[in-house]
């Protein structure tokens, strides 16, 4: 999975106790498969998300790990058989509903195991984390960590490293509460129509946010659109090994400037919104005035942000409620 790139933003001078806020979003569809006469095909999405705060010296001060699992099934005629209007919760939100205890015989659920890794990372540099957390198989090397985390951890360690590498000064200081939230949907998935392929699509907006009480002290936003195409025989036509880039990583390739005539690209608009809400409460963010297209009505914000912010406002509300 490709690492989330830092949004285009100018770092402000940091105070003595300032920390950087980082976010990683990485997606894979490699477990997707075509339909057969005996079994439905599926687009299987696996998205890892990690938020960190890190000092200028490289010490991880806080860390949150989560994952977005989503599956869209289709039959041998290419017709989608999944309820694409259903909610798409993260593994942390699923908790014991994810089923590692019930179906895999694990002593600890997935969310408990990655929380143990996140706690292990706190107080360490990336190099210290990489040296001590996992062995050559990617499983826990540290005895205390291994007592809780029995799943493969290598990918999550790499994701933490990517989040640290992406981190920048956005206003957070040591001691602020770090939260990670996402809004996920497969509602844009479509059946094949004529010569046009069917598409299973996962849309996920993600934020790493820090708070001091009710006030947002830093905000980092990214989004990913992961797609798997299939034809009227239920055959997957997408290269499942191709990298899936986030909107921040795509930059101008996302195409708001080229195809929508925007002055600013999506990543620039998301970064501008994140900077605008820093210093506000979630209630104040929910109250940002919008026009009939749910784009900002505030002149200062509208100078850069011309896209709908309804999703961003909902994302901030979800993060602040944790």
């Amino acid at each position: 999975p490709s690492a989330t790139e830092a949004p285009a933003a100018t770092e402000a001078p940091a105070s003595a106790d300032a920390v950087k806020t980082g976010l990683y979003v990485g997606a894979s569809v490699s477990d997707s498969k075509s339909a057969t006469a005996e079994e439905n095909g599926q687009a299987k999405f696996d998205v890892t998300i990690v938020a960190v705060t890190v000092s200028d010296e490289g010490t991880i001060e806080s860390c949150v790990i989560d994952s977005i699992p989503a599956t869209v099934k289709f039959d041998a005629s290419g017709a989608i058989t999944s309820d694409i209007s259903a909610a798409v919760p993260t593994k942390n939100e699923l908790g014991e509903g994810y089923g590692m205890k019930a179906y895999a015989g694990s002593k600890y659920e997935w969310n408990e195991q990655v929380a143990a890794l996140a706690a292990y990372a706190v107080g360490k540099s990336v190099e210290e984390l990489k040296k001590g957390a996992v062995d050559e198989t990617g499983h826990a090397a540290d005895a205390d960590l291994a007592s809780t985390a029995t799943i493969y951890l290598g990918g999550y360690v790499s994701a933490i490293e990517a989040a640290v590498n992406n981190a920048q000064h956005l206003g957070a200081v040591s001691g602020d509460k770090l939260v990670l939230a996402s809004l996920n949907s497969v509602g844009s998935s479509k059946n094949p129509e004529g010569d046009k392929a069917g598409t299973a699509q996962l849309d996920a907006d993600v934020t790493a946010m820090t708070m001091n009480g009710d006030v947002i002290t830093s905000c980092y936003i990214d989004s990913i659109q992961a797609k798997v195409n299939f034809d009227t025989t239920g055959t997957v036509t997408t290269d499942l090994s191709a990298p899936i880039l986030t909107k921040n990583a795509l930059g101008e390739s996302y195409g708001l400037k080229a195809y929508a005539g925007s002055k600013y690209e999506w990543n620039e608009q998301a970064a501008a919104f994140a900077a605008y809400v820093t210093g506000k409460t979630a209630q104040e963010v929910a109250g940002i005035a919008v026009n009939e297209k749910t784009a900002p009505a505030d002149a200062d914000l509208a100078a850069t942000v011309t896209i709908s912010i309804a999703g961003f406002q909902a994302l901030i509300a979800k993060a602040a409620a944790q």
Side-chain angles (χ1 to χ4, degrees):
S2 299
T4 300
E5 290 188 354
T10 302
E11 293 191 9
S15 63
D17 55 351
V19 292
K20 298 178 180 180
T21 304
L23 175 65
Y24 168 84
V25 181
S28 171
V29 293
S30 61
D31 288 334
S32 302
K33 60 182 181 180
S34 299
T36 65
E38 296 78 24
E39 187 177 11
N40 281 344
Q42 64 177 18
K44 189 172 180 61
F45 304 97
D46 186 11
V47 182
T48 298
I49 54 178
V50 176
V52 296
T53 55
V54 59
S55 71
D56 284 339
E57 292 73 33
T59 301
I60 298 167
E61 295 219 348
S62 56
C63 178
V64 184
I65 303 169
D66 205 349
S67 180
I68 307 165
T71 302
V72 175
K73 294 186 178 182
F74 46 90
D75 62 23
S77 69
I80 293 173
T81 59
S82 297
D83 178 5
I84 61 173
S85 67
V88 181
T90 69
K91 291 182 183 178
N92 283 348
E93 291 167 345
L94 286 168
E96 292 204 2
Y98 183 61
M100 288 201 68
K101 289 181 180 179
Y103 302 107
S106 297
K107 184 177 180 181
Y108 294 97
E109 195 47 75
W110 184 92
N111 61 308
E112 297 172 308
Q113 298 198 37
V114 296
L117 175 61
Y120 178 84
V122 171
K124 297 178 176 63
S125 67
V126 166
E127 289 306 311
E128 291 169 336
L129 173 66
K130 291 166 67 175
K131 287 179 181 177
V134 295
D135 59 22
E136 64 277 1
T137 71
H139 291 81
D142 177 85
D144 289 338
L145 180 58
S147 67
T148 302
T150 57
I151 60 174
Y152 176 78
L153 299 177
Y156 300 116
V157 170
S158 297
I160 294 171
E161 180 180 15
V164 169
N165 290 340
N166 291 335
Q168 60 182 278
H169 285 292
L170 298 173
V173 298
S174 183
D176 287 348
K177 178 185 177 181
L178 174 67
V179 293
L180 174 65
S182 66
L183 289 175
N184 320 307
S185 171
V186 293
S188 295
S189 302
K190 296 179 181 179
N191 291 320
E193 186 174 343
D195 294 334
K196 191 172 182 181
T199 301
Q201 179 171 324
L202 172 67
D203 294 290
D205 292 338
V206 185
T207 185
M209 199 168 81
T210 57
M211 302 188 71
N212 182 350
D214 293 334
V215 177
I216 299 164
T217 57
S218 72
C219 183
Y220 196 142
I221 295 173
D222 203 353
S223 181
I224 198 160
Q225 288 181 336
K227 300 179 182 181
V228 175
N229 295 328
F230 47 92
D231 62 22
T232 53
T233 67
T235 301
V236 171
T237 57
T238 296
D239 178 1
L240 300 179
S241 65
I244 301 171
L245 301 180
T246 69
K247 292 181 183 178
N248 281 347
L250 285 168
E252 292 203 2
S253 297
Y254 182 64
L256 275 182
K257 289 182 179 178
Y259 302 107
S262 297
K263 184 176 180 181
Y264 295 98
E265 196 46 75
W266 186 96
N267 62 309
E268 297 171 308
Q269 298 200 37
F273 178 85
Y276 183 84
V277 302
T278 299
K280 293 179 172 58
T281 65
Q283 185 174 4
E284 289 170 332
V285 174
I288 295 173
V290 297
N291 59 25
E292 67 281 358
K293 296 182 179 180
T294 66
D298 176 86
D300 289 339
L301 184 57
T304 304
V305 182
T306 57
I307 58 176
S308 169
I309 62 168
F312 290 161
Q313 288 174 302
L315 182 62
I316 298 301
K318 183 176 181 180
Q322 295 186 35

